[in-house]
Each structure stands twice: as structure tokens, then as C-alpha cells.
Amino acid sequence: MNLDEFVVKYAVLLSKRITMKQKKLFLSAVHQDFGALGYEVKGITEKRKGRISLNIQIGDVLHAKTLIIAPYDMPGRRFFSKGYHPFREEDNILLKLLSENAITLGIIVVAIGAYWLTSNINPILSYVILGFFTALILITTIVFPLGLTCNYTANKNNSSLAVMLKMAENLKAQSDIAFVLMDHVYLNHHGELMLSTLLSKKKSNPLIIYLDCVGYGDAAIISGSQENQALAKHLVSLADETLRFETKTYDHNEILSSALNRFPKSLNISVGHLVGKHWSVLKVRTSKDTEISETVVSAVTGVLLNGLINK
């Protein structure tokens, strides 16, 4: 499958992954593509706080020496975003609250207007309207916990899958490398918790490579704890001139206060734009996230294959 076919299949036809039916269609497609390469693919479900999460395991997850993992669920949309920083919690809490509550704020404005117009005409009707809009706000909060979902996710949650599939085509079902696609990472990190709990119960301690936004940009950042920096630097040394690779070390407090605390010993890879010391991933979680670069995907895949197979 070439990249154009991949984008049409996963970033267009199978881009919606909200309902369980949509996620099972996505699982079926993943099973078809990885199964054809000799991999066992299975879905693992678990319920938490009234919502069922579906993680997708590709290969022998419990016995693999290396796991390549990434989220696949749909993130909430961000308005007025100036860039996304993978593996970190929200940089701008006000922007997060505004984006996640945009629908609710709109309903409140309409409710106030409707209440004001009817209160002078029919007080009883105004209270009925107030009750109606209150119920509507509650329903909206339950149905859209992250606000409006972003329907454009080429880089955000499909580029990692593109790298995984390209790796799988070269690995030919080698048992020491497996893949996991995680659900509800953006909502409550449930997919991450499912995987970390599974590995802990089975006393499995593989090297974890966490991918997020690896399809567009001019600089790849390989980040992680101090103990993994030797491998991070080794991977950087394998990069060719098509894509710049840099390393970043997180201290203990940074790991605990971010999304990294689910997998504190993982290596995390993202591709974005580096201007001076400021690095971020542009366009994601907006309507502009519509492209994946073949050059970038190939560069990330090549570094991982060379580094993991020959380490």
C-alpha cells in the first residue's frame, strides 16, 4: 500500500473513531493489512467510567522485546492553537477549556437570549426553556466530553500507524517487535493505563517506543528519561540528511507531571518544527491536519528499523 492509498483509507474513509462500531471497522482494516504480513491482530476491551476502550495489539505483545505504541482515537479540536507539544499535558489551560466547552458556551448564549425574550412574554415558558437548555447542556457534556472532535487527523493519529505499517512490511512478522494502538488516550489515558497494567501484571518489561505526530515537519525529537539517552543518541546517529533528529532529556519531575508518567522509561518520538529552541507540531487538532510526508515517514521508519534490529 502506497502512502496515498493509506491516507485515503485511514485518514479519510476510517478517520471517525468515536463509536464502538467505527472502532471495530478500524480494527478490521488493521487486521487486514497487518494480518496479510503475518501478524496476529486482536482487540482488547475494558470498561472505565461508563466508556469502553478498545486497544489493538499487533504481534506477540507479551513476549516482544520492543513495543511500538501510539494512540488512534480522535482528539478534541483546538481553536486558536499555535502548536502542539506531544507527550505533555496542555500548555494553555484557558485554550483547553475554551475549546472543550465551545458547544456549551454557545448553548448558554442562546439560552440567555431565549430566556430574556420569553421572560417578559410568558414567565412559565421562560422557565420551560431554561430547563430545556439545562438538559441540553448536560447531554452535550456527556456526548462531547472533549468538545468538538477534530475530523482532520492525518498527522495526529494516522502518521504513527503509517510508520508501524511500513516497519511491519520490512520486519516480516519478527516476534521480538510488536505494536499497540491505544484508545481513549485523549479522553482519560485509559488505553495507556490498559497497556501499562497488562505489562505490569505479566511482569513484562519491553523497550517502549511511543510515537505521536511523526508525519510532518523538519525536526524529529527523540525524548525520554536519562537512562534511555544512550539509545536515543544512537538512533539520532543513524539518521540521514532527509530529516534532522535531536534528543531531549526529561527529568523526574517533568515525567511525573506529564503524559510520560504512564511509561516513564519509554523513548518518545515526534516530528515538528524547530525554530531556535522552540519546538512544536503545527496544524494538528485543527482543520489543516491533512497531510503526511512520505519523506518524513520513511526517515522515521528507517531510523527505527536500523536502530532496533541492529542494537
Side-chain angles (χ1 to χ4, degrees):
M1 182 189 307
N2 62 43
L3 188 59
D4 289 338
E5 293 171 336
F6 174 89
V7 170
V8 170
K9 182 174 184 176
Y10 286 103
V12 179
L13 299 178
L14 295 169
S15 63
K16 291 187 180 298
R17 300 160 199 173
I18 300 173
T19 67
M20 185 54 65
K21 180 179 179 180
Q22 291 168 341
K23 292 175 183 180
K24 286 183 177 179
L25 287 173
F26 175 76
L27 169 60
S28 178
V30 171
H31 186 280
Q32 179 186 43
D33 290 333
F34 283 87
L37 299 172
Y39 285 89
E40 179 186 5
V41 179
K42 59 182 178 180
I44 306 296
T45 59
E46 184 177 284
K47 190 173 184 179
R48 183 170 187 254
K49 295 183 178 180
R51 296 180 186 274
I52 299 176
S53 297
L54 172 66
N55 274 10
I56 301 173
Q57 298 181 1
I58 305 165
D60 191 352
V61 170
L62 294 179
H63 297 97
K65 295 179 181 178
T66 302
L67 291 183
I68 313 296
I69 69 174
Y72 77 90
D73 57 319
M74 295 183 71
R77 186 162 181 172
R78 285 292 176 267
F79 299 102
F80 313 111
S81 175
K82 294 183 179 180
Y84 166 71
H85 299 88
F87 310 113
R88 287 168 54 181
E89 303 297 347
E90 297 286 343
D91 296 313
N92 191 319
I93 299 300
L94 182 61
L95 181 62
K96 176 179 184 292
L97 292 174
L98 174 63
S99 298
E100 291 184 352
N101 295 284
I103 302 176
T104 301
L105 292 173
I107 293 174
I108 290 174
V109 170
V110 174
I112 292 173
Y115 178 79
W116 180 78
L117 288 173
T118 57
S119 61
N120 295 323
I121 301 173
N122 188 327
I124 295 177
L125 178 61
S126 66
Y127 284 111
V128 171
I129 288 176
L130 191 61
F132 168 77
F133 279 107
T134 300
L136 187 59
I137 289 173
L138 291 174
I139 293 171
T140 300
T141 303
I142 295 172
V143 176
F144 300 101
L146 295 177
L148 292 171
T149 54
C150 186
N151 294 323
Y152 302 89
T153 58
N155 187 20
K156 183 68 189 83
N157 67 351
N158 288 295
S159 60
S160 298
L161 177 59
V163 169
M164 290 179 175
L165 188 56
K166 200 172 184 68
M167 289 183 68
E169 290 171 350
N170 288 274
L171 290 170
K172 303 185 186 305
Q174 289 186 26
S175 60
D176 56 345
I177 298 179
F179 309 90
V180 180
L181 293 164
M182 300 175 295
D183 193 10
H184 281 152
V185 171
Y186 306 111
L187 177 63
N188 55 16
H189 300 287
H190 188 201
E192 294 174 339
L193 293 171
M194 286 173 63
L195 177 58
S196 62
T197 301
L198 174 67
L199 296 177
S200 178
K201 284 183 177 179
K202 300 298 182 179
K203 297 182 180 180
S204 179
N205 188 33
L207 168 66
I208 292 178
I209 307 291
Y210 198 144
L211 306 179
D212 187 6
C213 300
V214 289
Y216 184 81
D218 55 30
I221 302 296
I222 303 179
S223 59
S225 62
Q226 181 62 47
E227 59 191 286
N228 273 337
Q229 286 307 295
L231 177 57
K233 291 177 181 178
H234 174 61
L235 293 177
V236 169
S237 71
L238 298 173
D240 58 29
E241 68 279 358
T242 58
L243 182 65
R244 176 183 176 184
F245 277 76
E246 301 280 352
T247 63
K248 175 177 173 55
T249 304
Y250 287 98
D251 61 33
H252 183 67
N253 289 332
E254 285 180 305
I255 291 174
L256 290 179
S257 63
S258 73
L260 296 171
N261 62 28
R262 263 72 66 183
F263 305 103
K265 296 181 180 180
S266 65
L267 274 182
N268 313 288
I269 303 178
S270 290
V271 180
H273 292 273
L274 185 63
V275 180
K277 293 184 178 181
H278 180 73
W279 181 86
S280 65
V281 182
L282 304 179
K283 300 181 180 181
V284 299
R285 305 185 80 168
T286 74
S287 59
K288 296 180 180 179
D289 184 9
T290 58
E291 59 183 309
I292 300 175
S293 166
E294 177 77 52
T295 301
V296 172
V297 168
S298 295
V300 173
T301 303
V303 165
L304 287 175
L305 287 173
N306 291 332
L308 297 177
I309 293 176
N310 301 317
K311 69 173 181 171

